[in-house]
Amino acid sequence: MKLERLFSQAALVYSISALIVTGEARAQQNDTATYQQATSGTRWLGTADRRFIKVLVESTNLGGGEVDIAEITFAAGSRGRGHFHSSIEIFYILSGEFEHTVNGTSHVLTPGMVGIVRPGDEVVHTVLSDEPVKALVIWAPGGEVARIARSLREYPIDD
């Protein structure tokens, strides 16, 4: 089951990335000096006592701003505030139960489900399960990680 979920996650990331990449992005990818072809991510973001965003893909390792991808762990019982993004935001739930409220409409997401937020939508994220929620989050175009990072601490990926 875990292997099947891993393959599903990889297929989702590959499919979305393939849709996002434009001819200009392909040209950038051919410049080996501007992107990393294999990586464990770029950095962790969090607070003084907790790291909860593992940044996997952003301009520093992609070589362009087409997409940002992160693995986010939401603490059990947490409820976010309503907020907006200037990018499409796609959540793929890896574990836990997550309430994904978009423009006032609630959607309960469980492992293997996808939640989508378009630019201009208001979204609130709430953890419904007694365990943390882990999600793969994709923003297209990129730039959301840089915006989010301004209010958090940064940690090296290898820590």
Side-chain angles (χ1 to χ4, degrees):
M1 186 67 164
K2 287 183 182 183
L3 186 59
E4 181 181 52
R5 184 176 295 159
L6 180 63
F7 284 129
S8 294
Q9 295 164 5
L12 176 69
V13 171
Y14 176 79
S15 297
I16 292 169
S17 297
L19 291 172
I20 294 167
V21 175
T22 63
E24 177 181 276
R26 287 188 190 108
Q28 288 176 351
Q29 288 178 348
N30 289 331
D31 181 358
T32 57
T34 62
Y35 82 108
Q36 298 173 352
Q37 296 177 344
T39 175
S40 296
T42 63
R43 57 188 165 151
W44 279 96
L45 299 174
T47 58
D49 61 338
R50 189 171 156 265
R51 300 172 195 191
F52 53 91
I53 300 175
K54 183 179 184 184
V55 180
L56 302 171
V57 176
E58 62 180 324
S59 62
T60 59
N61 65 348
L62 180 62
E66 298 83 24
V67 64
D68 289 343
I69 302 174
E71 180 183 286
I72 302 179
T73 302
F74 296 87
S78 66
R79 177 177 172 80
R81 295 173 295 153
H83 63 279
F84 302 88
H85 292 279
S86 58
S87 300
I88 292 174
E89 180 178 58
I90 302 168
F91 276 82
Y92 180 77
I93 304 304
L94 301 169
S95 64
E97 189 173 316
F98 197 60
E99 183 179 27
H100 175 75
T101 304
V102 182
N103 298 326
T105 303
S106 173
H107 307 274
V108 176
L109 304 179
T110 57
M113 293 182 73
V114 173
I116 301 171
V117 180
R118 297 191 55 80
D121 287 346
E122 181 178 24
V123 64
V124 177
H125 309 298
T126 305
V127 175
L128 300 176
S129 55
D130 292 334
E131 64 185 68
V133 166
K134 189 174 281 193
L136 183 69
V137 183
I138 301 163
W139 295 279
E144 288 296 309
V145 166
R147 184 186 63 76
I148 293 166
R150 288 194 290 268
S151 62
L152 296 170
R153 292 181 67 171
E154 182 176 327
Y155 300 91
I157 201 74
D158 54 12
D159 252 3

